[in-house]
Amino acid sequence: MASRARVRAPELIGKGGWLNTDGKALSLADLRGRIVILDFWTFCCINCLHVLDELRELEERHRDTVVIVGVHSPKFVHEAEHRAVVDAVERYGVEHPVLDDPELATWKQYAVRAWPTLVVIDPEGYVVAQHAGEGHAHAIARLVEELEAEHETKGTLRRGDGPYVAPEPEPTALRFPGKALLLPSGTFLVSDTTRHQLVELAADAETVLRRFGSGTRGLADGTADTASFNEPQGLALLGDGSVIVADTVNHALRRLDLATGRVTTVAGTGHQWWQGSPTSGPARGTDLSSPWDVAVFGGRVWIAMAGVHQLWTYDPESETVAVAAGTTNEGLVDGPAAEAWFAQPSGLAATADRLWLADSETSALRWVDPDGQVHTAVGTGLFDFGHRDGAAGQALLQHPLGVTALPDGSVAVSDTYNHALRRYDPATGEVTTLATDLREPSDAVLVGEDIVVVESARHRLTRLRLPEEAVRVESVAHRTRRAATEVAPGRLRLDVIFQAPAGQKLDTRYGPSTRLLVSSTPPELLLKGEGADTDLARELELNPAVEEGVLHVSAMAASCDDDEANEYPACHVHQQDWGVPVRITEGGADRLPLVLAGMDQQQPA
């Protein structure tokens, strides 16, 4: 067997302690003899949620040899709260041990630079591979099989049950509900996300009338009892009285007939959209990516496509889907729809002349006008967030997931990680706080003079009277706190490390199989090297007059089975976006390595 680079794995430490182990703290010594996969994740990150789902099959197939350990490494202040991590582990069905690392101690020990990152540790306690981003499950599965064979022969593989201990389920009517819809009958339809169902509640917003879906993860059409969903979220009412459902983890849109309870799939294939996939076409034949919310605007169903940072549309008449706005680059850029950048759009609300959206990762409230221009009302970018009222230009939100149009032309924002309901008034340009002490509000619906809020982490709907005056709160502002990489002014070599998985090679049948896009915040940080190209290495030139900033790097590589006899080889796309904080320092590094897949051969073993 070919030799591979190995680096001794640092210990696993985290101030928040361990989850899913029945209170037991784990060490690498406890895991010796097992293949360990560290999943560095944070629960705001859609790419991290994709990876959780990618790993489920591998986790089940190799349960007696592999231990997956989630290392929760927060981006937002709220994500550093232990209770929030506990909630997230249940919300997303994480069935392996999780280390809560609020101070990023283990993240720093492993020199991680991006969410998500996967690190493979062999049974003797050595790091043998690192992968950033999505699309690596097939490569890791192949490596696991190699490690199993190698260490079985050496006698260093230990089989048996892993350390995972399932928590006790809580008996609540809803479990981490996502979105709500007021039906013409005066009842509420709620996406009961963690239980993979839709629930109809009576007008009191408490009494359960009907459930739709079997309650088991799956993608199956059928009756209310036999149909299945996978973490459904957004809901929108069509003119014929049926409901469109954003079935998030199934990467699909579903249609619910309220009269019969029957569920059918109207868009998506059940497979996740990847770079190079069609961006328009027949709805049932086109891949989608984590649709999070839906709203009817301009005669079409608009889709907050959180997984690819875009807005798409679904036309029920022609049964087609198409990209409507966004480039798939993650960030905050306004302008024509085709040039705009979004970051996990997660909430939509339509009025006659605006489609409002909660752009969660930029902590922003934005809108699209009838001419297709994208505007930002509140928010400055990926790294600034907080709870600050006042003029919209300086106001701050923290990872909002919902937006609700109000009768006076203003909008209410479900400011999720601030546990608050906020209001933006376009007439005055002011942001105020309507209510606090809500637990992760993710949506709200207007009912007469009341507003009913989905308190996701309290597993309920909460009815509030819209206040005439704003609630006064103390202003706080935050920036994403990650240690900046010290780099030298002038030339900086950027190396994106990609090694095709064993048995595969770069796919060059239809042209270059790699893509690298580089930009910076502020833009003047980069004097040279901005833009897109196909080479995964690039010479950058940093402006010595800019003391610090963020390098935005997006990389993609496609690999296929290396078998010339196979006319239709299996191919895989690997991709990741990095936001790397840098500080310009004399004597700093002149090389920035980012591992997409493999090991950096220039680091000491």
Side-chain angles (χ1 to χ4, degrees):
M1 183 168 296
S3 62
R4 60 172 65 89
R6 302 201 308 171
V7 178
R8 176 63 73 179
E11 191 54 84
L12 305 176
I13 54 175
K15 190 175 181 180
W18 289 86
L19 306 176
N20 284 352
T21 63
D22 198 25
K24 179 183 178 181
L26 299 180
S27 68
L28 285 178
D30 298 326
L31 302 174
R32 192 64 50 82
R34 310 298 291 273
I35 300 163
V36 179
I37 301 173
L38 303 182
D39 176 15
F40 289 86
W41 70 299
T42 188
F43 63 79
C44 72
C45 162
I46 190 67
N47 312 92
C48 299
L49 304 186
H50 289 167
V51 167
L52 284 176
D53 290 303
E54 287 178 5
L55 293 176
R56 291 187 198 279
E57 182 181 352
L58 182 148
E59 189 170 21
E60 181 60 35
R61 182 181 300 172
H62 299 274
R63 192 169 289 277
D64 68 331
T65 59
V66 170
V67 175
I68 296 177
V69 174
V71 182
H72 189 268
S73 313
K75 171 186 175 181
F76 289 97
V77 169
H78 170 59
E79 292 174 306
E81 298 176 16
H82 183 69
R83 178 69 246 177
V85 180
V86 173
D87 287 345
V89 167
E90 181 188 352
R91 181 196 301 267
Y92 296 116
V94 179
E95 295 183 352
H96 50 249
V98 173
L99 173 63
D100 181 11
D101 183 18
E103 297 177 347
L104 302 182
T106 295
W107 165 289
K108 294 171 186 173
Q109 286 291 316
Y110 281 82
V112 175
R113 295 184 184 274
W115 299 277
T117 291
L118 298 169
V119 175
V120 181
I121 302 173
D122 73 12
E124 295 178 290
Y126 288 89
V127 174
V128 293
Q130 182 171 326
H131 302 263
E134 306 177 48
H136 301 293
H138 69 288
I140 292 176
R142 177 74 175 262
L143 177 57
V144 164
E145 291 171 358
E146 292 181 0
L147 291 171
E148 285 176 340
E150 176 184 343
H151 290 274
E152 191 90 78
T153 301
K154 292 174 67 175
T156 49
L157 183 70
R158 178 168 56 90
R159 295 180 181 270
D161 294 333
Y164 169 68
V165 180
E168 288 293 323
E170 296 284 342
T172 54
L174 301 173
R175 205 69 193 161
F176 297 104
K179 304 290 185 181
L181 178 67
L182 180 65
L183 298 175
S185 62
T187 61
F188 298 91
L189 187 66
V190 184
S191 53
D192 195 13
T193 303
T194 297
R195 293 206 176 116
H196 316 296
Q197 291 181 320
L198 307 180
V199 178
E200 185 179 3
L201 300 179
D204 63 6
E206 296 180 5
T207 305
V208 175
L209 301 178
R210 290 190 289 174
R211 290 183 179 272
F212 305 93
S214 65
T216 302
R217 283 182 191 272
L219 176 55
D221 292 342
T223 65
D225 295 329
T226 62
S228 57
F229 299 94
N230 197 344
E231 298 184 24
Q233 286 281 350
L235 308 165
L237 190 67
L238 296 182
D240 63 3
S242 65
V243 175
I244 291 292
V245 183
D247 195 6
T248 304
V249 179
N250 276 329
H251 310 296
L253 297 187
R254 318 292 291 283
R255 177 184 178 272
L256 170 64
D257 186 323
L258 289 167
T260 66
R262 188 159 190 84
V263 176
T264 54
T265 302
V266 297
T269 63
H271 300 291
Q272 184 182 338
W273 186 95
W274 290 100
Q275 291 288 350
S277 301
T279 55
S280 63
R284 288 297 309 272
T286 304
D287 296 340
L288 308 180
S289 183
S290 297
W292 206 276
D293 203 5
V294 282
V296 178
F297 179 64
R300 294 174 292 170
V301 176
W302 285 66
I303 310 165
M305 203 73 79
V308 285
H309 317 299
Q310 290 180 312
L311 302 179
W312 287 46
T313 57
Y314 163 63
D315 186 341
E317 293 296 323
S318 63
E319 298 183 343
T320 57
V321 293
V323 172
T327 64
T328 76
N329 294 318
E330 184 179 15
L332 193 154
V333 176
D334 290 339
E339 300 172 11
W341 291 23
F342 301 97
Q344 284 179 223
S346 302
L348 298 174
T351 64
D353 60 353
R354 291 188 182 188
L355 178 72
W356 293 98
L357 67 117
D359 205 27
S360 61
E361 278 293 283
T362 54
S363 298
L365 172 67
R366 307 175 73 183
W367 85 88
V368 182
D369 66 28
D371 296 325
Q373 293 286 317
V374 177
H375 311 262
T376 297
V378 181
T380 59
L382 285 165
F383 303 102
D384 294 291
F385 56 93
H387 192 151
R388 180 193 288 155
D389 288 333
Q394 57 86 51
L396 294 172
L397 309 170
Q398 187 181 180
H399 199 80
L401 291 178
V403 60
T404 306
L406 301 179
D408 63 357
S410 66
V411 289
V413 180
S414 295
D415 194 4
T416 309
Y417 288 4
N418 279 327
H419 309 300
L421 190 68
R422 312 285 293 283
R423 175 177 179 262
Y424 167 68
D425 186 352
T428 64
E430 292 288 312
V431 175
T432 53
T433 298
L434 298 176
T436 57
D437 194 30
L438 300 166
R439 188 69 186 170
E440 291 193 17
S442 55
D443 197 19
V445 293
L446 197 65
V447 185
E449 295 182 353
D450 295 342
I451 192 164
V452 174
V453 180
V454 179
E455 274 198 277
S456 188
R458 284 199 177 113
H459 319 293
R460 70 187 187 189
L461 303 191
T462 299
R463 187 184 296 265
L464 305 172
R465 178 58 54 92
L466 279 171
E468 294 182 4
E469 294 186 2
V471 176
R472 294 191 179 276
V473 295
E474 182 179 351
S475 293
V476 292
H478 304 285
R479 296 208 83 212
T480 300
R481 301 189 69 84
R482 278 182 288 160
T485 298
E486 293 192 349
V487 294
R491 295 179 62 185
L492 175 69
R493 180 174 175 81
L494 172 65
D495 284 328
V496 174
I497 313 300
F498 178 76
Q499 297 160 7
Q504 295 207 336
K505 63 179 181 179
L506 287 174
D507 177 22
T508 57
R509 290 170 299 163
Y510 307 108
S513 59
T514 56
R515 176 177 178 269
L516 180 64
L517 175 68
V518 179
S519 62
S520 67
T521 302
E524 51 269 22
L525 172 64
L526 273 178
L527 296 176
K528 178 184 174 184
E530 184 179 9
D533 203 345
T534 58
D535 194 344
L536 291 182
R538 188 177 302 180
E539 292 288 340
L540 309 181
E541 185 175 349
L542 303 181
N543 187 347
V546 178
E547 294 183 357
E548 59 182 16
V550 177
L551 289 175
H552 304 286
V553 181
S554 178
M556 184 272 287
S559 63
C560 293
D561 290 345
D562 189 6
D563 183 358
E564 294 183 2
N566 186 355
E567 186 178 356
Y568 302 104
C571 297
H572 305 273
V573 176
H574 318 255
Q575 62 184 40
Q576 173 61 19
D577 295 332
W578 291 269
V580 183
V582 295
R583 182 177 299 111
I584 309 298
T585 307
E586 290 293 341
D590 60 3
R591 176 176 178 263
L592 176 62
L594 300 175
V595 177
L596 179 60
M599 297 282 284
D600 180 11
Q601 299 301 319
Q602 294 191 36
Q603 71 177 11

